[in-house]
Amino acid sequence: MELVENRHLNTFSQLAQLAGLDDMYNGRGDFTLFSPSEAAWYSIDYELLTEAQQNPDLARRILLYHGTQGTGTAGRLKTSSMKNNQMVTAIDGENSLRLQVYRKAFGVEDAIIEISDIEGANGVLHIISKVIFPATESAGDVLRKSGNYTIFLQTMESIMAQDPEAIDISNGGHTGNHYTFFVPTDTAFRRIGSSRLRRLQSDPQYMSKVMKNHISTSMMSSDSFKPNLTYDLPTRQNAVGVSCDAARKMKVNDADVLKKDMMSSSGVIHVIDKLLLSENDY
């Protein structure tokens, strides 16, 4: 806890004391802590933060997800040893933390590591840009909560029925859960026109080709993209160009991102207002 206090991470420190975790953090063992910055704490829902500051059980659940514990280098997770799409078990012993290695940054879940590798006697501290929470629902379950993504869901279900190797958005996929999904709204699907939509829904090969261009095998949160730059992000079919402006408004090719960083056990979801079609797809 000395590292946390020295960096004036007051909210993390106060929650740790409330939850009775300060003795554990100060004890023997090798820890890696991902502490949200003070700004990150105050960007979450005010009622949730207020409840956490008054409820030891909630404070404990939140903080135990913000780190990992082990012996030696397994517990001290420095950025030099992080691997892209790596998964580590959180201190709570129940949930996993997904790590990403970006072009010039490192991430955990949908947060960016802002200050890294602060070493202490019993561990290492990273200061992150967001408060993170376990993603326990699949991408399919997250999207089914709204009635705006029925065509995407139906199309993906058709692909999975025809291709056992396709990504199962109901359980996170066969090989991992670090995907990025660019999900068009139902309105976006209808904008391509009725004849092209019928072809998309009836031609399995065309359907698979188009939908695979909406899925990347790397989990890319919005904060992983620096302002005023364009990133060529490989998809399962081709590649798309992702950019954001100084106001953090995000685009994928010529599609605007309407909602971003919807976290799921399958990966991260960004909702877009157009399909990502190449010239050959028209």
Side-chain angles (χ1 to χ4, degrees), residues 12 14-22 24-25 33-34 36 41 44 47-68 89-97 109 131-136:
F12 191 102
Q14 292 165 3
L15 292 178
Q17 293 176 30
L18 176 66
L21 294 174
D22 45 344
M24 182 191 76
Y25 289 142
L33 296 185
F34 298 100
W41 283 111
I44 67 172
E47 293 183 357
L48 176 60
L49 177 58
T50 300
E51 184 180 357
Q53 291 171 326
Q54 300 171 354
N55 184 329
D57 289 337
L58 177 58
R60 183 181 181 87
R61 290 199 303 273
I62 292 174
L63 292 196
L64 289 182
Y65 187 61
H66 283 75
T68 186
T89 302
I91 300 174
D92 63 15
E94 299 177 3
N95 298 289
S96 295
L97 294 163
E109 294 297 311
V131 181
I132 55 178
F133 300 94
T136 58

Coordinates of all heavy atoms in Angstrom, one line a residue, residues 12 14-22 24-25 33-34 36 41 44 47-68 89-97 109 131-136:
F12 N -8.3 4.5 -4.0 CA -7.9 3.1 -3.9 C -7.5 2.8 -2.5 O -7.9 1.8 -1.9 CB -6.8 2.8 -4.9 CG -6.5 1.3 -5.0 CD1 -6.9 0.6 -6.1 CD2 -5.8 0.6 -4.0 CE1 -6.6 -0.7 -6.3 CE2 -5.5 -0.7 -4.2 CZ -5.9 -1.4 -5.3
Q14 N -8.4 4.4 0.3 CA -9.5 4.5 1.2 C -10.4 3.2 1.1 O -10.9 2.7 2.1 CB -10.3 5.7 1.0 CG -9.6 7.0 1.3 CD -10.2 8.3 0.7 OE1 -11.2 8.2 0.1 NE2 -9.6 9.4 1.0
L15 N -10.6 2.8 -0.1 CA -11.4 1.6 -0.3 C -10.8 0.3 0.2 O -11.4 -0.5 0.8 CB -11.7 1.4 -1.8 CG -12.7 2.4 -2.5 CD1 -12.8 2.2 -4.0 CD2 -14.0 2.5 -1.8
A16 N -9.4 0.3 0.1 CA -8.7 -0.9 0.6 C -8.8 -0.9 2.2 O -9.0 -2.0 2.7 CB -7.2 -0.8 0.2
Q17 N -8.8 0.2 2.8 CA -8.9 0.2 4.3 C -10.3 -0.1 4.7 O -10.5 -0.9 5.6 CB -8.6 1.6 4.8 CG -7.1 2.0 4.7 CD -6.8 3.4 5.1 OE1 -7.5 4.0 6.0 NE2 -5.8 4.0 4.5
L18 N -11.3 0.4 3.9 CA -12.7 0.0 4.2 C -13.0 -1.5 4.1 O -13.7 -2.1 4.9 CB -13.6 0.8 3.3 CG -15.2 0.5 3.4 CD1 -15.7 1.0 4.7 CD2 -15.9 1.2 2.3
A19 N -12.4 -2.0 3.0 CA -12.6 -3.5 2.7 C -11.7 -4.4 3.6 O -11.8 -5.6 3.5 CB -12.3 -3.7 1.2
G20 N -10.8 -3.8 4.4 CA -9.9 -4.6 5.2 C -8.8 -5.3 4.4 O -8.4 -6.4 4.8
L21 N -8.4 -4.7 3.3 CA -7.4 -5.3 2.4 C -6.0 -4.7 2.6 O -5.1 -5.3 2.0 CB -7.8 -5.1 0.9 CG -9.1 -5.8 0.5 CD1 -9.5 -5.5 -0.9 CD2 -8.9 -7.4 0.6
D22 N -5.9 -3.7 3.4 CA -4.6 -3.0 3.5 C -3.5 -3.9 4.1 O -2.4 -3.9 3.7 CB -4.7 -1.7 4.2 CG -5.5 -1.8 5.5 OD1 -6.3 -2.8 5.7 OD2 -5.4 -0.9 6.3
M24 N -3.4 -7.2 3.8 CA -3.1 -8.2 2.8 C -2.1 -7.6 1.8 O -1.1 -8.2 1.4 CB -4.3 -8.7 2.0 CG -4.0 -9.7 1.0 SD -5.4 -10.1 -0.1 CE -5.4 -8.7 -1.2
Y25 N -2.4 -6.3 1.3 CA -1.5 -5.7 0.4 C -0.1 -5.4 0.9 O 0.8 -5.3 0.2 CB -2.2 -4.4 -0.1 CG -3.3 -4.6 -1.1 CD1 -4.5 -3.7 -1.0 CD2 -3.4 -5.6 -2.0 CE1 -5.5 -3.9 -1.8 CE2 -4.5 -5.7 -2.9 CZ -5.5 -4.9 -2.8 OH -6.6 -5.1 -3.6
L33 N -0.8 -4.7 -8.9 CA -2.0 -4.0 -8.7 C -2.2 -3.0 -9.9 O -1.2 -2.4 -10.4 CB -1.9 -3.1 -7.4 CG -1.8 -3.9 -6.1 CD1 -1.9 -2.9 -4.9 CD2 -2.9 -4.9 -6.0
F34 N -3.4 -3.0 -10.4 CA -3.8 -2.1 -11.4 C -4.8 -1.1 -10.7 O -5.9 -1.3 -10.6 CB -4.6 -2.8 -12.5 CG -3.8 -3.8 -13.3 CD1 -3.9 -5.2 -13.0 CD2 -2.8 -3.4 -14.2 CE1 -3.1 -6.1 -13.6 CE2 -2.1 -4.4 -14.9 CZ -2.2 -5.7 -14.6
P36 N -6.8 2.3 -10.6 CA -7.3 3.4 -11.4 C -6.8 4.8 -10.8 O -6.6 4.9 -9.6 CB -8.8 3.3 -11.2 CG -9.1 1.9 -10.8 CD -7.9 1.5 -9.9
W41 N -11.6 7.0 -11.1 CA -12.6 6.7 -10.0 C -13.8 7.7 -10.2 O -15.0 7.3 -10.1 CB -12.1 6.8 -8.6 CG -11.2 5.7 -8.2 CD1 -9.8 5.7 -8.1 CD2 -11.6 4.4 -8.0 NE1 -9.4 4.4 -7.7 CE2 -10.5 3.6 -7.6 CE3 -12.9 3.7 -8.0 CZ2 -10.6 2.2 -7.3 CZ3 -13.0 2.4 -7.7 CH2 -11.8 1.6 -7.3
I44 N -16.7 7.1 -13.0 CA -17.7 6.1 -13.0 C -19.0 6.6 -12.4 O -19.0 7.8 -11.9 CB -17.3 4.8 -12.2 CG1 -17.1 5.2 -10.7 CG2 -16.0 4.3 -12.7 CD1 -16.8 3.9 -9.8
E47 N -23.4 7.1 -8.1 CA -24.0 6.3 -7.1 C -23.2 5.1 -6.8 O -23.2 4.6 -5.6 CB -25.4 6.0 -7.5 CG -26.4 7.2 -7.6 CD -27.8 6.8 -8.0 OE1 -28.0 5.6 -8.2 OE2 -28.7 7.7 -8.0
L48 N -22.6 4.5 -7.8 CA -21.8 3.3 -7.6 C -20.6 3.6 -6.7 O -20.2 2.9 -5.8 CB -21.4 2.7 -8.9 CG -20.4 1.5 -8.9 CD1 -21.0 0.3 -8.1 CD2 -20.0 1.1 -10.3
L49 N -19.9 4.7 -7.0 CA -18.7 5.1 -6.2 C -19.1 5.4 -4.8 O -18.4 5.0 -3.9 CB -18.1 6.3 -6.9 CG -16.8 6.9 -6.1 CD1 -15.8 5.8 -6.0 CD2 -16.3 8.1 -6.8
T50 N -20.2 6.1 -4.6 CA -20.7 6.4 -3.3 C -21.0 5.1 -2.5 O -20.6 5.0 -1.3 CB -21.9 7.3 -3.3 OG1 -21.6 8.5 -4.0 CG2 -22.4 7.6 -1.9
E51 N -21.7 4.2 -3.1 CA -22.0 2.9 -2.5 C -20.7 2.2 -2.1 O -20.6 1.6 -1.0 CB -22.9 2.1 -3.3 CG -23.3 0.8 -2.6 CD -24.2 -0.1 -3.5 OE1 -24.5 0.3 -4.6 OE2 -24.5 -1.2 -3.0
A52 N -19.7 2.1 -3.0 CA -18.5 1.5 -2.8 C -17.7 2.1 -1.6 O -17.1 1.4 -0.8 CB -17.6 1.5 -4.0
Q53 N -17.9 3.4 -1.4 CA -17.2 4.1 -0.3 C -17.9 3.8 1.0 O -17.3 4.2 2.1 CB -17.1 5.6 -0.6 CG -16.2 5.9 -1.7 CD -16.3 7.4 -2.2 OE1 -17.4 8.0 -2.1 NE2 -15.2 7.9 -2.6
Q54 N -19.1 3.2 1.0 CA -19.8 2.9 2.2 C -20.0 1.4 2.5 O -20.4 1.0 3.6 CB -21.2 3.6 2.1 CG -21.1 5.1 2.0 CD -22.5 5.8 1.7 OE1 -23.5 5.1 1.5 NE2 -22.5 7.1 1.7
N55 N -19.8 0.6 1.5 CA -20.1 -0.8 1.5 C -18.8 -1.6 1.4 O -18.2 -1.8 0.3 CB -21.0 -1.2 0.4 CG -21.5 -2.6 0.4 OD1 -20.8 -3.5 0.9 ND2 -22.7 -2.9 -0.1
P56 N -18.3 -2.2 2.5 CA -17.0 -2.9 2.5 C -17.0 -4.1 1.5 O -16.0 -4.4 0.9 CB -16.9 -3.4 4.0 CG -17.7 -2.5 4.8 CD -18.9 -2.1 3.9
D57 N -18.2 -4.8 1.4 CA -18.2 -6.0 0.5 C -18.1 -5.5 -0.9 O -17.3 -6.2 -1.7 CB -19.5 -6.7 0.7 CG -19.6 -7.5 2.0 OD1 -18.5 -7.8 2.6 OD2 -20.7 -7.7 2.5
L58 N -18.7 -4.5 -1.3 CA -18.6 -4.0 -2.7 C -17.2 -3.5 -3.0 O -16.6 -3.7 -4.0 CB -19.7 -2.9 -2.9 CG -19.6 -2.2 -4.3 CD1 -19.8 -3.2 -5.4 CD2 -20.7 -1.1 -4.4
A59 N -16.7 -2.7 -2.0 CA -15.3 -2.2 -2.2 C -14.3 -3.3 -2.3 O -13.4 -3.3 -3.2 CB -14.9 -1.4 -1.0
R60 N -14.5 -4.4 -1.6 CA -13.6 -5.6 -1.7 C -13.7 -6.3 -3.0 O -12.7 -6.6 -3.6 CB -14.0 -6.6 -0.5 CG -13.1 -7.8 -0.5 CD -13.5 -8.7 0.6 NE -12.7 -9.9 0.7 CZ -11.5 -9.9 1.4 NH1 -11.1 -8.9 2.1 NH2 -10.8 -11.0 1.4
R61 N -15.0 -6.4 -3.5 CA -15.2 -7.1 -4.8 C -14.5 -6.3 -5.9 O -13.9 -6.8 -6.9 CB -16.6 -7.3 -5.1 CG -17.3 -8.3 -4.3 CD -18.6 -8.8 -4.9 NE -19.6 -7.7 -5.2 CZ -20.4 -7.2 -4.3 NH1 -20.5 -7.7 -3.1 NH2 -21.3 -6.2 -4.6
I62 N -14.6 -5.0 -5.9 CA -14.1 -4.1 -6.9 C -12.5 -4.2 -6.9 O -11.9 -4.4 -7.9 CB -14.5 -2.7 -6.8 CG1 -16.0 -2.6 -7.1 CG2 -13.7 -1.7 -7.7 CD1 -16.6 -1.2 -6.9
L63 N -11.9 -4.0 -5.7 CA -10.5 -4.0 -5.6 C -9.8 -5.3 -5.9 O -8.7 -5.3 -6.5 CB -10.1 -3.5 -4.2 CG -10.4 -2.0 -3.9 CD1 -9.6 -1.6 -2.7 CD2 -10.1 -1.1 -5.0
L64 N -10.5 -6.4 -5.5 CA -9.8 -7.7 -5.8 C -9.8 -8.1 -7.2 O -9.1 -9.0 -7.6 CB -10.6 -8.8 -5.0 CG -10.4 -8.8 -3.5 CD1 -11.1 -10.0 -2.8 CD2 -8.9 -8.8 -3.1
Y65 N -10.5 -7.3 -8.1 CA -10.5 -7.5 -9.5 C -9.3 -6.7 -10.1 O -8.9 -7.0 -11.2 CB -11.8 -7.2 -10.2 CG -11.8 -7.5 -11.6 CD1 -11.7 -8.8 -12.1 CD2 -12.0 -6.5 -12.6 CE1 -11.7 -9.2 -13.4 CE2 -12.1 -6.9 -14.0 CZ -11.9 -8.2 -14.4 OH -11.9 -8.5 -15.7
H66 N -8.8 -5.8 -9.4 CA -7.8 -4.9 -9.9 C -6.4 -5.3 -9.6 O -5.5 -4.5 -9.1 CB -8.0 -3.4 -9.4 CG -9.1 -2.7 -10.0 ND1 -10.5 -3.0 -9.8 CD2 -9.1 -1.7 -11.0 CE1 -11.2 -2.2 -10.5 NE2 -10.4 -1.4 -11.3
G67 N -6.1 -6.6 -9.8 CA -4.8 -7.1 -9.5 C -4.7 -8.6 -9.6 O -5.7 -9.3 -9.8
T68 N -3.4 -9.0 -9.5 CA -3.2 -10.5 -9.6 C -2.1 -10.8 -8.5 O -1.3 -9.9 -8.1 CB -2.7 -11.0 -11.0 OG1 -2.6 -12.4 -11.0 CG2 -1.4 -10.3 -11.4
T89 N -5.3 -14.6 -13.8 CA -6.4 -14.7 -12.8 C -6.3 -13.5 -11.8 O -5.2 -13.2 -11.2 CB -6.3 -16.0 -12.0 OG1 -6.3 -17.1 -13.0 CG2 -7.4 -16.2 -11.0
A90 N -7.4 -12.9 -11.6 CA -7.5 -11.8 -10.6 C -7.3 -12.3 -9.2 O -7.4 -13.5 -8.9 CB -8.8 -11.0 -10.8
I91 N -7.0 -11.4 -8.3 CA -6.8 -11.8 -6.9 C -8.1 -12.4 -6.3 O -8.0 -13.2 -5.4 CB -6.4 -10.5 -6.1 CG1 -5.1 -9.9 -6.6 CG2 -6.2 -10.9 -4.6 CD1 -4.7 -8.6 -5.9
D92 N -9.2 -12.1 -6.9 CA -10.5 -12.7 -6.3 C -10.6 -14.2 -6.6 O -11.4 -14.9 -6.0 CB -11.7 -11.9 -6.9 CG -11.9 -12.0 -8.4 OD1 -11.2 -12.9 -9.0 OD2 -12.7 -11.3 -9.0
G93 N -9.7 -14.7 -7.5 CA -9.7 -16.1 -7.8 C -10.8 -16.6 -8.6 O -10.9 -17.8 -8.9
E94 N -11.7 -15.7 -9.0 CA -12.9 -16.1 -9.8 C -12.9 -15.6 -11.2 O -13.5 -16.2 -12.1 CB -14.1 -15.6 -9.1 CG -14.3 -16.2 -7.7 CD -15.6 -15.6 -7.0 OE1 -16.3 -14.8 -7.7 OE2 -15.8 -15.9 -5.8
N95 N -12.3 -14.5 -11.4 CA -12.3 -13.8 -12.7 C -11.0 -13.7 -13.4 O -9.9 -13.7 -12.7 CB -13.0 -12.4 -12.6 CG -14.4 -12.5 -12.1 OD1 -15.3 -13.0 -12.8 ND2 -14.6 -12.1 -10.8
S96 N -10.9 -13.4 -14.7 CA -9.7 -13.3 -15.4 C -9.5 -11.8 -15.8 O -10.5 -11.1 -16.1 CB -9.6 -14.2 -16.6 OG -9.6 -15.5 -16.2
L97 N -8.3 -11.4 -15.9 CA -8.0 -10.1 -16.5 C -7.3 -10.3 -17.9 O -6.4 -11.2 -18.0 CB -7.0 -9.4 -15.6 CG -7.5 -8.9 -14.2 CD1 -6.3 -8.6 -13.3 CD2 -8.4 -7.7 -14.3
E109 N -8.2 -5.2 -19.8 CA -9.6 -5.0 -20.1 C -9.8 -3.8 -21.0 O -9.0 -3.7 -22.0 CB -10.5 -4.9 -18.8 CG -10.5 -6.2 -18.0 CD -11.1 -7.4 -18.8 OE1 -12.2 -7.2 -19.3 OE2 -10.5 -8.4 -18.9
V131 N -11.7 2.4 -14.2 CA -12.1 1.4 -13.2 C -12.6 0.2 -14.1 O -13.5 0.4 -14.9 CB -13.2 1.9 -12.2 CG1 -13.6 0.8 -11.2 CG2 -12.7 3.1 -11.5
I132 N -12.2 -1.0 -13.8 CA -12.5 -2.1 -14.6 C -13.4 -3.1 -13.8 O -13.4 -3.2 -12.6 CB -11.3 -2.9 -15.2 CG1 -10.4 -3.3 -14.0 CG2 -10.6 -2.0 -16.2 CD1 -9.2 -4.1 -14.5
F133 N -14.3 -3.8 -14.5 CA -15.3 -4.7 -13.9 C -15.3 -6.0 -14.7 O -15.1 -6.0 -15.9 CB -16.7 -4.1 -13.9 CG -16.8 -2.8 -13.2 CD1 -16.6 -1.6 -13.9 CD2 -17.0 -2.8 -11.8 CE1 -16.7 -0.4 -13.2 CE2 -17.1 -1.6 -11.1 CZ -16.9 -0.4 -11.8
P134 N -15.5 -7.1 -14.0 CA -15.5 -8.4 -14.7 C -16.6 -8.4 -15.8 O -17.8 -8.0 -15.5 CB -15.8 -9.4 -13.6 CG -15.4 -8.7 -12.3 CD -15.7 -7.3 -12.5
A135 N -16.3 -8.9 -16.9 CA -17.3 -9.0 -18.0 C -17.8 -10.5 -18.0 O -17.1 -11.4 -18.4 CB -16.7 -8.7 -19.4
T136 N -19.0 -10.7 -17.5 CA -19.5 -12.1 -17.3 C -20.5 -12.5 -18.3 O -20.9 -13.6 -18.3 CB -20.1 -12.2 -15.9 OG1 -21.2 -11.2 -15.8 CG2 -19.1 -11.9 -14.8

